[in-house]
Amino acid sequence: MKPQAELDRLLTGINRKSYPAYKSLRGSYKFPGYCLEIAHVQGDPFAAPSKLCIYVNKGQAGFPEEYYNTDYKNTALCDHIIRLFGKAVQKYTFQAEGSGKSGLISISRCGQEVLKRTAAEIEDGNILVRFEAGFPAYGRTINSDGLRKILFDYLPQIVKSSLYYKNLDKAKVKSVIELSEDQHVLREEIKKRNLVAFIANGSVLPRESGISQKPMKKAVPFKSPESMETEIELPYKGKIKGMGIPEGITLVVGGGYHGKSTLLKALEQGIYQHIAGDGREYTVTNDTAVKIRAEDGRAVSHVDISPFINNLPNEKDTVDFSTEDASGSTSQAANVAEAVQAGAGVLLIDEDTCATNFMVRDALMQEVVSGEHEPITPFTMQARKMYEEHGVSVILVAGSSGSYFYIADKILQMDNYNTFDITGKVKEVLKDKENQYQEQAEAPVPASVLFSGSRRIIKVKKADRKKGQIKIKQSGRDGFSIGKENVDLKYVEQIMDYEQVTTLSYCLKELIEQMEVKGTGAEEAVESLWKRIQKKGLASLCQGSYLPVSMAQARKQDIFACLNRYRGII
């Protein structure tokens, strides 16, 4: 560890030199109250910014131990620190002028979700913060005075205002930790009560716009139907009431623009905790829930979709189904099978994004087009057994077919964003009507095939490399390329953050390196990787002396989704 005076001396010595001379600054330096590490220096002022770390020891940071002594509280505190650090750097970013990214100071940008991120870690009370800075230059000539401002003037103020507990709004920090405790207890409580989801009364579910996850102003607050109202006592919030959605098949119906999809979207994102003020702080969903949709054109590799599609006219194998360009129905069948393989306990489905012929086929259509001429077994014919025999619940938004009523345990109607339990009413109506909608035939292949436990062996072709390394290039939230193959994730709708996509790209890179050598069981490979991430953290996905990227937590189900969309599987 070098003294800060050594860094100052080095800066003086390289001033006005060619930009690569900045690399001589790499190393760790002792500042009053913290240590600064310059882990990686960018190649020129137009390249990706330099990577820096701040270390603050437990005594200096001063956060109470009870604020980070569990995983969920640790994550919430780290999230709060990242937000504070990010707010502080806004005052100073680009204050040091120059070419390209000169003067940039940045850290992970957190959304409405509370996610574990590599941008901040707390271990035994010691804090590590990773961030980026654009080292200043005029053209490609070093501007030491600009970097000196960043490192000696701006950074101490940023650290002081965000990483020392004594300088923070203690009531705000306390509220962050208390909310995390309440959310954890709520999530545990719905498991004990055999609920798949809970939405608190007063929650604000609509979002500000299609490009903003902030709550809509003047939105209709959520209110549970009396028949489904559940009371749960939380450690700090106290008793809260809301709608508990039980295990089983829940159908959500109603007219267009009345809030059906908004409700489902809130449940999709309820797999994560949300910050105070989001409106969905007390909206939680079973964290294995997977959104299912049609995905025309996706690649499918070695998936058994026979419970939904079999006896294809071209005699294509659906027990070991592969295609480079799946149709709506085959892609949705694969998505269901893959979700089950990934351990999903709940399937979330919006009719608007489904293949109609995959979802339902009424009795009249069965009469006109008899079973031997129709290779598709609709989802409605398999859903009940998937739940009754294997415990997979379904929350389905629909409005087009009466077939859905016959398989539902609970039926909710949305009317102007108000929620009504119409289960009794619908069941009464069905008693007096001939069942002219429900499929009459038995499924030719039982749903139990999806849960047979057979190991899916995957091999991948050798990935393209550059200097011996598999190259990854991210395309924001929608996907990434690995080698020469693109992985399209835009329809994996529960991925909320581009840093989650970064995590998934590194997960896939590691899985490919395993599977290139020999065929590997998909479940075995993903489970092994998942356990290592849980034990050693996201940073364990990266090799080398510094962490080259910022990453955010992703679920095991997302890792499966990523692997399943890789076109290099053979």
Side-chain angles (χ1 to χ4, degrees), residues 318-425:
T318 60
V319 173
D320 184 18
F321 182 76
S322 297
T323 180
E324 286 289 310
D325 185 19
S327 66
S329 56
T330 55
S331 64
Q332 194 164 350
N335 285 341
V336 172
E338 291 165 352
V340 167
Q341 177 195 41
V346 186
L347 304 181
L348 306 173
I349 303 175
D350 190 336
E351 184 186 47
D352 285 351
T353 57
C354 291
T356 302
N357 59 345
F358 173 81
M359 291 300 296
V360 63
R361 186 160 63 101
D362 63 29
L364 178 57
M365 184 59 73
Q366 287 191 69
E367 266 191 61
V368 175
V369 182
S370 56
E372 65 269 21
H373 298 294
E374 175 52 78
I376 300 175
T377 301
F379 181 77
T380 45
M381 292 179 67
Q382 298 285 30
R384 276 243 63 89
K385 288 187 177 178
M386 288 177 65
Y387 169 63
E388 291 173 353
E389 298 177 9
H390 304 283
V392 176
S393 297
V394 178
I395 301 176
L396 169 62
V397 166
S400 68
S401 173
S403 287
Y404 300 119
F405 290 126
Y406 290 93
I407 66 169
D409 298 300
K410 281 287 183 182
I411 303 167
L412 302 176
Q413 181 176 359
M414 300 298 297
D415 186 359
N416 195 27
Y417 289 88
N418 293 300
T419 310
F420 301 92
D421 179 3
I422 60 169
T423 308
K425 174 185 173 182

Side-chain angles (χ1 to χ4, degrees), residues 25-100:
L25 304 181
R26 284 183 296 192
S28 298
Y29 303 90
K30 179 69 176 174
F31 279 71
Y34 64 91
C35 296
L36 168 69
E37 180 187 2
I38 300 175
H40 171 73
V41 176
Q42 63 205 89
D44 64 63
F46 301 92
S50 301
K51 314 293 182 183
L52 292 82
C53 302
I54 294 287
Y55 300 88
V56 181
N57 66 37
K58 177 179 181 178
Q60 189 67 44
F63 287 92
E65 186 175 348
E66 61 268 24
Y67 284 9
Y68 55 81
N69 61 0
T70 65
D71 186 64
Y72 58 88
K73 287 191 285 188
N74 189 303
T75 299
L77 182 55
C78 286
D79 176 85
H80 187 58
I81 284 171
I82 294 169
R83 293 174 194 272
L84 291 174
F85 196 96
K87 184 177 180 181
V89 302
Q90 289 303 308
K91 180 179 178 182
Y92 300 106
T93 191
F94 289 118
Q95 292 299 304
E97 299 177 354
S99 310

